[in-house]
Amino acid sequence: MIGPLALDVAHLFAGGLVLVSVMLLYQDRMTGLINTFALHALVVSMSVAWQAFIQNAPHLYITAAIALVIKAVVIPVALRRMVVRLGIHRTIEPVVSIGLTMLAAIGLIALSIMVMLPITAQAGTLAREDLSFALSVILLGLLMMISRRNAVSQVIGFMSIENGLILAATGAKGMPLVVEISVAFSILVALIVIGIFLFRIRERFETVDIHLLHEHRGEQP
Amino acid sequence: MLEGLLWCIATLLATGVAALALARRRVASALVYGISLGATSVAFSAALASLLAPAALGGSLTLPVGLPWLGAHFRLDALASFFLLVVNLGGAAASLFGLGYGRHEESPGRVLPFFPAFLAGMNLVVLAADAFTFLFAWEFMSLSSWALVMAHHRRPGNAAAGYLYLLMASFGTLALILAFGLLAGPTGGYSFEAIRLAPPAATISGVVLVLVLIGAGSKAGLVPLHVWLPLAHPAAPTHVSALMSGVMTKVAVYGFVRIVFDLLGPPAWWWGALVPLLGGITAVLGVLYALMQDDLKRLLAYSTVENVGIIFIGLGLALAFEANGMTGAAALALTAALLHVFNHALFKSLLFFGAGAVLGATGERNMERLGGLIHRMPRTAFAFLIGSAAISALPPFNGFVSEWLTFQAILLSPALPQWLLKFLVPAVGALLALSAALAAACFVKAFGITFLGRPRSPVAAEAGETDRWSQAAMLGLAALCLLAGILPGYFIDALAPVIQTLTGTSLPRQEQLDWLTIVPIAQSRSSYNGLLLFFFIALAAGLGAEVIHRLASAAVRRSPAWDCGFPDASPATQYTAGSISQPIRRVFGSVLFRAREEVDLPPPGDTRAARLRVRLRDVPWDVLYAPIAGMVGFVADRLNKLQFLTIRGYLTLVFGALVALLMVLTVWQ
Amino acid sequence: MILDALVQLCQMMVVLALAPLLAGYVRKVKALLVGRRGPPMVQPYRDLLRLLRKEVVLADSASWVFRATPYLVFAATWVGAALVPTFATGLLFSYAADMIAIVALLGSARFMLALAGLDVGTSFGGIGSSREMMIASLAEPAMLMVVFTLSLLAGSTQLSSIAAFMQGPDVGLRVSLALALVALVMVAIAENARIPVDNPATHLELTMVHEAMILEYSGRYLALIELASFVKLLLYISVIGCVFAPWGIAAAGDGFTATLTGLAAYVGKLALAGFLLAAFETAIAKMRVFRVSDFLGAALMLGVLAALLRFVSRLT
């Protein structure tokens, strides 16, 4: 039987992931953003490892290792190299001020709690709250994608959505390894594709600010 | 007791009428204010006696005036006696201030008749026990205050302020008439007794709540119906502004409490969601607007809006608790709200009197042209400082006690079962905390720019202290602020009969607790001791001073300010009202008010001064009022064609109306 | 009764005596971390004594507010710090130690200090006052939301009840506590004028908040204000310690050895917190002034989130 302390620690990891998602929204510089994303991936891998420990599911250790190596080490290093090579602007410009983004963040967290808690009335309280935290992380990742003008921050927002999905899936018992490998692979592929695109965009327009792309679509910005 | 109060009101009305005739005489001002002071003091003592000795309560009277089948009902119960206490305390203080201030009134004939009438109207509203008397007194109060707002109607902006005030007051009274109509129902019993015995159905109650929020809320100053307040309150003479801000808004709160808590049936839970939300938004918007002002009286008027928001947060929480049957918590929330009513009347009157003293001494309301007045007007400055500390909710003054009680009520809210309330109440708590912190910033600005620093204009450099009467009024109110902060238990006990009638329970008796602590719920839960805190601070300060006196050098040398070695001694280099609120304006205002700073720099070689202008957008005005005004104008233009029809056209209208009514009759049957 | 009064008095004196030592310790650790030798740890005591002996230079336009403020600021801060349980809970006047009252006491001290900044009528004082009020307008609500979270957990706003609850078995590893801790640390950094919000060692206009308000003070007034800011740092560390690290605090009526252990534990907590503060300040650069509002806005949001979690759930 899983003891209450173990469940509390898992819950703490989930809350910590929400905290790091909020920290992601707070960053206004590229290096800070990439480091915080590395922390995000680290917290997710620690959470998955803890779930592996308390659920006695050794295949989750592999998931944790994949999250740690790929998302906490490889991808941040790759992003940092891309930032340096493409010469991308080091400051990230938010669409609305960071204060308003934080306000929207807390509204989204409240919304996910409001949605999740009544729906999952049969499950145990901690599982319900873990699910609402996971939904918050997904919504905050989406918020990050829409509230920044920079393509790198949108890539990071996309990956933090995926971290939220991992949190949700490992919280409920039993997620097969196959799914995780395919998910991680698709992420890697997506990253390579996006990287290529970024390189091409930078070549053509000297910038990766999407805002400026609109002018070339023939529509008004 | 009730007869005595009605005699006081009659005296005030008679004084008003007499002042119409006597206004030209030199002695008229002293006479009118003196009699008002006497009448309001008598009424205050009567109200206090009936609040403290509940055996004398419950007097009611019916006079054969007004509507023939209704008469005029008056009743003195606990709620009425508390609000009479507030009204007459404010009235007495304003009359005392007016004894000195009224001497340099330039058009006494426009002020003296209406001042006692205004006081009489407010007292009548509180005593009224049927709908007609209530509405009649309400309109009388509005009209007499409108006349006072228009007293200096030649000054720029005052006529527009008066017009807007009249418009909003009429709109509010219309809402109240509809509310009372719904309350009386098909039987048409207009007296409060009859209404209490036959509470309306749930949907009708909801509609009545919204109408009362519009009607009483617009008089109190709830957003978005507050727009008249910052224009009208400063336009009136100062003691009238103090009455309007400190007392008339409380009469509006009385109207809300009377109708919603007393006359309507049991509340629905969504009332407890709507009212605190409105209160929270009003509190934050009010104080942010106050921070953007550089007119001292407008700043105080917006601060009134903020405090009304705080009162409505307390009232809304009480409704939420009542709807869920948590009567103890409802008693706490209602105590917090009513205590804040009393406290706000005290310190807002004090602050307005200070502003009036400054206005009388310098002729300036604009803070950008004041400064250094603490040296020229030391007692006014001291009283204003006490008022600023009290309104910023700093211990050991009274503002902190009511805020503390409101926070304790919020901390009881997790027991509320509805989901929306569970999300709303912490948000409202955050809004309350934010408004308290911003209020402190606002009053640092108000006191600091007006009284501290160096004079920014010649009139500020040559101001003189005000007269004895004004000082007495201000210092008396300051002493009451401190007293209510140090001995809050007595005030809470005095409120107990009111809370008892409205919610069925009341807070535990506070007076036998050790060291005069207040314990709103249970000793183990939370307690506050104002006297002990005050004692500790005094002791620590005294100890520090004593040790310093022994150990340290006592030498003091006066010299020009250090200013980091900057040699310019011009007072224009010090911070202005606009600059001290610039960080907050930039953080909050750039989003809420689209605050933009425009700098107009002259080209090189041109010697005129550069100008910095701050442009703000008034959101309720632009979003709500301007479109409505436009629509009204549009519709009026269209309907104007009705003025120019031929005789055949008018006959067609009459014929069409007759046919339509006959068709309605057939369909109905 | 007499013993209780003695213990309460002892707490007040301990707080006053340790505050300059804590400030000196933090300075020394900061210096050592960047490779300097640094001033001795007792240097703040010497500074205070030196200031006491000096003559006060008062500006011509200074009023009684300027002269009274150091005493009031010192008194309010000292009373607040004396009410926080440091080595023992359940002291004689612990029921007066309501957390909201302590926050409001610090607010009074800040109010008077901001007025003193405006009193002399220079632009530096105005800079300090306006920025301080902006920081306060966000830090105080954040602090109040942390207080809400804690009192919703412990069922009381009294600090000694909260400390006793935190020592008890009912407290678990809760998300709202973690969020409240982060928010409280952020507020403590802002209120004590530490990097990254304000630089306590500077006199440059661009980085000044607290230093700008007290620019005109000298002699014994400056000594009182410096001592008050040391006591304020001690107060915040004591609050964090007694709420989030309550091990070792003696309960009411526990006996002499328990009190001594409590004292030793308290000194240990101060040392650890001072070291962490020094390391944090050395590792990070100061923020732009208008980034401070984002920083404190984030603290406010975390506080609101923590309170929200307490409202909607029994377990977080």
Side-chain angles (χ1 to χ4, degrees):
Chain A
M1 197 54 223
I2 301 177
L5 183 65
L7 286 178
D8 273 341
V9 172
H11 201 53
L12 212 56
F13 277 127
L17 197 64
V18 173
L19 180 62
V20 181
S21 296
V22 172
M23 275 171 67
L24 269 178
L25 284 170
Y26 174 75
Q27 301 303 321
D28 65 347
R29 285 192 313 215
M30 198 65 76
T31 33
L33 189 67
I34 298 177
N35 291 340
T36 315
F37 175 69
L39 182 64
H40 202 262
L42 180 68
V43 172
V44 147
S45 65
M46 288 197 329
S47 165
V48 173
W50 182 256
Q51 288 289 341
F53 174 63
I54 63 176
Q55 285 177 25
N56 252 323
H59 58 267
L60 286 181
Y61 282 119
I62 308 182
T63 312
I66 292 179
L68 186 65
V69 167
I70 293 188
K71 285 204 237 155
V73 177
V74 169
I75 292 188
V77 166
L79 276 177
R80 215 170 283 137
R81 287 240 226 108
M82 246 197 285
V83 164
V84 168
R85 212 150 38 110
L86 295 183
I88 296 179
H89 250 326
R90 295 304 170 86
T91 46
I92 303 171
E93 278 140 36
V95 171
V96 289
S97 71
I98 290 194
L100 271 188
T101 321
M102 294 260 144
L103 207 57
I106 203 170
L108 285 175
I109 297 176
L111 178 68
S112 55
I113 296 178
M114 247 198 284
V115 163
M116 270 304 183
L117 284 184
I119 291 181
T120 55
Q122 291 86 5
T125 324
L126 273 183
R128 293 159 72 191
E129 283 166 7
D130 283 343
L131 277 177
S132 38
F133 285 154
L135 182 61
S136 324
V137 173
I138 295 174
L139 286 176
L140 288 179
L142 271 173
L143 179 66
M144 201 177 149
M145 285 177 78
I146 64 173
S147 68
R148 300 281 184 272
R149 293 190 199 278
N150 193 297
V152 173
S153 50
Q154 295 191 342
V155 166
I156 288 184
F158 177 64
M159 288 192 284
S160 70
I161 294 179
E162 213 251 337
N163 285 346
L165 285 169
I166 292 182
L167 183 70
T170 53
K173 291 202 182 98
M175 177 171 128
L177 190 54
V178 159
V179 176
E180 167 60 8
I181 289 183
S182 54
V183 166
F185 233 100
S186 62
I187 290 293
L188 208 49
V189 166
L191 195 64
I192 295 172
V193 169
I194 291 173
I196 296 176
F197 264 115
L198 283 177
F199 210 89
R200 303 299 292 283
I201 295 172
R202 171 64 175 27
E203 269 182 37
R204 301 285 301 284
F205 305 115
E206 306 280 11
T207 172
V208 289
D209 188 339
I210 327 174
H211 184 60
L212 294 170
L213 285 179
H214 272 298
E215 294 178 21
H216 298 274
R217 277 178 59 187
E219 298 169 6
Q220 293 304 314
Chain B
M1 202 65 72
L2 182 56
E3 290 87 7
L5 283 164
L6 286 173
W7 276 115
C8 290
I9 296 178
T11 320
L12 285 169
L13 284 171
T15 319
V17 170
L20 270 173
L22 296 175
R24 297 281 154 209
R25 310 278 183 87
R26 240 180 353 157
V27 73
S29 168
L31 208 61
V32 167
Y33 290 122
I35 297 180
S36 308
L37 179 62
T40 46
S41 311
V42 170
F44 171 76
S45 345
L48 185 63
S50 60
L51 191 61
L52 291 179
L57 290 179
S60 55
L61 193 63
T62 309
L63 291 180
V65 293
L67 296 176
W69 61 91
L70 187 58
H73 297 246
F74 298 102
R75 186 156 171 265
L76 180 66
D77 61 358
L79 182 64
S81 48
F82 171 69
F83 274 93
L84 275 178
L85 195 120
V86 172
V87 167
N88 288 304
L89 183 58
S95 310
L96 184 59
F97 186 80
L99 276 173
Y101 186 76
R103 279 194 216 132
H104 41 91
E105 176 62 59
E106 61 203 22
S107 40
R110 289 180 172 273
V111 174
L112 289 177
F114 300 107
F115 181 80
F118 184 36
L119 289 173
M122 289 195 286
N123 278 302
L124 271 175
V125 172
V126 178
L127 277 175
D130 72 85
F132 183 75
T133 317
F134 184 91
L135 287 170
F136 180 80
W138 186 274
E139 271 298 273
F140 185 66
M141 173 179 83
S142 306
L143 282 176
S144 45
S145 52
W146 172 79
L148 288 167
V149 165
M150 297 291 275
H152 303 139
H153 64 114
R154 297 221 187 273
R155 293 212 194 129
N158 280 4
Y163 179 61
L164 184 62
Y165 178 33
L166 204 58
L167 211 58
M168 296 297 295
S170 314
F171 178 64
T173 312
L174 174 66
L176 281 178
I177 291 178
L178 289 174
F180 276 117
L182 281 175
L183 274 177
T187 52
Y190 281 110
S191 72
F192 285 177
E193 276 304 322
I195 297 179
R196 229 173 260 135
L197 292 173
T203 37
I204 307 247
S205 296
V207 176
V208 171
L209 175 83
V210 173
L211 284 172
V212 172
L213 269 179
I214 294 178
S218 70
K219 185 73 100 202
L222 282 183
V223 162
L225 300 164
H226 67 287
V227 284
W228 62 275
L229 212 150
L231 295 174
H233 283 199
T238 305
H239 49 312
V240 177
S241 305
L243 276 181
M244 288 173 78
S245 260
V247 179
M248 192 172 74
T249 48
K250 308 302 171 298
V251 174
V253 171
Y254 163 78
F256 182 83
V257 173
R258 173 67 77 188
I259 298 179
V260 174
F261 280 87
D262 197 18
L263 298 180
L264 280 178
W269 72 267
W270 62 267
W271 300 7
L274 178 63
V275 178
L277 182 65
L278 271 180
I281 296 178
T282 307
V284 174
L285 271 184
V287 75
L288 281 175
Y289 273 120
L291 271 163
M292 308 291 138
Q293 304 302 317
D294 51 15
D295 179 334
L296 187 55
K297 285 172 94 175
R298 273 183 92 164
L299 184 146
L300 293 175
Y302 272 116
S303 162
T304 304
V305 171
E306 178 222 342
N307 281 283
V308 164
I310 296 177
I311 295 174
F312 273 90
I313 289 179
L315 291 175
L317 282 175
L319 284 173
F321 289 130
E322 275 277 332
N324 285 300
M326 299 160 64
T327 44
L332 175 59
L334 197 57
T335 310
L338 291 181
L339 197 61
H340 201 74
V341 163
F342 178 72
N343 290 339
H344 182 243
L346 281 182
F347 44 68
K348 192 40 69 70
S349 305
L350 169 57
L351 288 169
F352 263 106
F353 292 162
V358 166
L359 181 61
T362 61
E364 278 287 349
R365 266 161 51 179
N366 187 353
M367 287 188 281
E368 307 273 14
R369 300 183 51 77
L370 296 172
L373 290 175
I374 193 172
H375 302 285
R376 311 288 311 180
M377 308 170 67
R379 285 185 216 101
T380 308
F382 179 70
F384 199 92
L385 179 61
I386 306 268
S388 307
I391 201 172
S392 311
L394 300 178
F397 296 104
N398 54 354
F400 177 68
V401 179
S402 42
E403 296 241 355
W404 187 79
L405 286 173
T406 318
F407 282 135
Q408 295 294 334
I410 291 180
L411 286 173
L412 286 177
S413 316
L416 290 169
Q418 287 90 2
W419 277 103
L420 184 63
L421 289 177
K422 276 195 203 285
F423 283 96
L424 198 62
V425 175
V428 167
L431 287 176
L432 180 63
L434 190 62
S435 75
L438 285 170
C442 180
F443 280 92
V444 162
K445 167 179 165 162
F447 183 73
I449 301 290
T450 312
F451 289 95
L452 299 178
R454 291 173 287 161
R456 293 178 182 82
S457 69
V459 283
E462 285 150 22
E465 184 63 90
T466 49
D467 54 272
R468 292 294 163 108
W469 300 109
S470 312
Q471 285 177 33
M474 288 192 283
L475 291 171
L477 284 174
L480 268 178
C481 283
L482 183 62
L483 212 63
I486 301 183
L487 305 172
Y490 294 116
F491 292 84
I492 294 180
D493 281 340
L495 268 176
V498 186
I499 311 291
Q500 184 80 35
T501 47
L502 289 178
T503 61
T505 54
S506 69
L507 296 184
R509 281 203 72 78
Q510 310 287 333
E511 56 177 0
Q512 54 257 56
L513 292 170
D514 295 333
W515 300 89
L516 300 169
T517 321
I518 53 172
V519 173
I521 308 149
Q523 176 81 16
S524 61
R525 201 179 152 102
S526 49
S527 59
Y528 168 68
N529 194 322
L531 185 63
L532 210 58
L533 219 59
F534 177 67
F535 177 66
F536 275 165
I537 295 179
L539 190 66
L543 204 64
E546 186 58 30
V547 167
I548 297 282
H549 190 65
R550 302 276 156 166
L551 287 184
S553 134
V556 170
R557 173 161 57 102
R558 287 273 179 179
S559 79
W562 156 236
D563 205 11
C564 255
F566 195 57
D568 190 337
S570 159
T573 58
Q574 56 181 337
Y575 253 45
T576 63
S579 35
I580 200 176
S581 53
Q582 189 259 357
I584 294 184
R585 185 171 66 228
R586 189 162 150 175
V587 171
F588 294 99
S590 52
V591 170
L592 277 176
F593 306 128
R594 305 268 178 87
R596 299 279 175 266
E597 293 170 355
E598 296 167 352
V599 180
D600 174 26
L601 278 177
D606 193 349
T607 52
R608 71 177 166 87
R611 287 218 176 281
L612 174 73
R613 198 172 310 136
V614 176
R615 206 172 280 285
L616 295 172
R617 193 178 88 127
D618 192 339
V619 178
W621 192 269
D622 287 346
V623 168
L624 194 62
Y625 289 88
I628 290 181
M631 217 161 22
V632 168
F634 176 76
V635 170
D637 275 340
R638 294 289 144 139
L639 288 179
N640 203 22
K641 298 211 180 80
L642 282 176
Q643 305 281 0
F644 305 108
L645 298 175
T646 59
I647 296 195
R648 198 177 61 84
Y650 288 122
L651 286 173
T652 321
L653 271 181
V654 171
F655 178 70
L658 188 59
V659 169
L661 284 172
L662 285 173
M663 279 180 13
V664 166
L665 211 55
T666 41
V667 168
W668 198 302
Q669 280 169 352
Chain C
M1 176 77 180
I2 302 287
L3 197 61
D4 286 339
L6 269 182
V7 174
Q8 175 80 61
L9 197 64
C10 182
Q11 153 135 342
M12 291 175 74
M13 288 303 144
V14 159
V15 153
L16 200 58
L18 283 181
L21 186 60
L22 177 68
Y25 169 72
V26 171
R27 263 184 233 166
K28 181 86 172 167
V29 173
K30 269 170 84 166
L32 287 175
L33 282 175
V34 295
R36 294 188 281 121
R37 264 231 298 249
M41 286 206 294
V42 296
Q43 186 60 31
Y45 294 105
R46 293 196 194 133
D47 286 338
L48 288 175
L49 281 173
R50 173 177 52 95
L51 282 172
L52 283 178
R53 284 196 296 267
K54 289 196 174 237
E55 166 189 66
V56 164
V57 176
L58 209 55
D60 289 326
S61 47
S63 65
W64 64 265
V65 169
F66 190 80
R67 299 179 73 161
T69 295
Y71 298 99
L72 290 173
V73 167
F74 170 69
T77 320
W78 189 26
V79 169
L83 291 176
V84 174
T86 51
F87 54 85
T89 59
L91 296 174
L92 188 60
F93 293 118
S94 61
Y95 62 83
D98 187 271
M99 269 234 76
I100 303 180
I102 294 180
V103 171
L105 266 181
L106 292 174
S108 318
R110 176 178 39 238
F111 186 82
M112 293 308 297
L113 207 54
L115 286 181
L118 286 175
D119 190 40
V120 179
T122 63
S123 44
F124 283 99
I127 290 182
S129 299
S130 62
R131 287 177 179 178
E132 177 70 20
M133 295 322 285
M134 173 194 76
I135 292 177
S137 68
L138 288 169
E140 203 178 287
M143 181 82 185
L144 278 172
M145 297 316 285
V146 170
V147 168
F148 276 10
T149 312
L150 294 174
S151 42
L152 285 171
L153 259 179
S156 161
T157 45
Q158 279 170 11
L159 199 46
S160 41
S161 309
I162 297 179
F165 175 82
M166 287 296 176
Q167 281 183 299
D170 294 331
V171 65
L173 290 171
R174 297 172 192 266
V175 176
S176 40
L177 272 184
L179 292 175
L181 175 61
V182 174
L184 186 55
V185 168
M186 287 166 89
V187 168
I189 291 176
E191 290 272 15
N192 287 297
R194 295 273 144 192
I195 294 178
V197 173
D198 184 14
N199 193 339
T202 184
H203 288 277
L204 288 173
E205 172 199 320
L206 288 177
T207 57
M208 285 201 285
V209 177
H210 184 78
E211 291 293 318
M213 283 193 294
I214 62 174
L215 193 66
E216 301 287 335
Y217 276 114
S218 51
R220 58 185 183 274
Y221 295 153
L222 186 57
L224 274 175
I225 292 195
E226 294 275 305
L227 185 56
S229 62
F230 298 154
V231 172
K232 192 169 173 183
L233 180 63
L234 190 84
L235 188 158
Y236 271 96
I237 294 184
S238 306
V239 168
I240 296 178
C242 96
V243 172
F244 291 103
W247 309 293
I249 297 187
D254 247 7
F256 191 58
T257 32
T259 315
L260 274 186
T261 328
L263 203 54
Y266 178 62
V267 172
K269 285 180 214 170
L270 285 181
L272 179 64
F275 178 77
L276 288 173
L277 177 64
F280 183 70
E281 283 200 286
T282 320
I284 237 179
K286 190 184 157 329
M287 294 190 277
R288 290 167 39 214
V289 165
F290 288 106
R291 189 86 172 119
V292 174
S293 57
D294 291 338
F295 180 71
L296 286 171
L300 177 58
M301 290 299 134
L302 287 176
V304 173
L305 185 58
L308 184 68
L309 284 174
R310 289 270 74 243
F311 263 78
V312 301
S313 119
R314 295 280 143 194
L315 281 177
T316 26

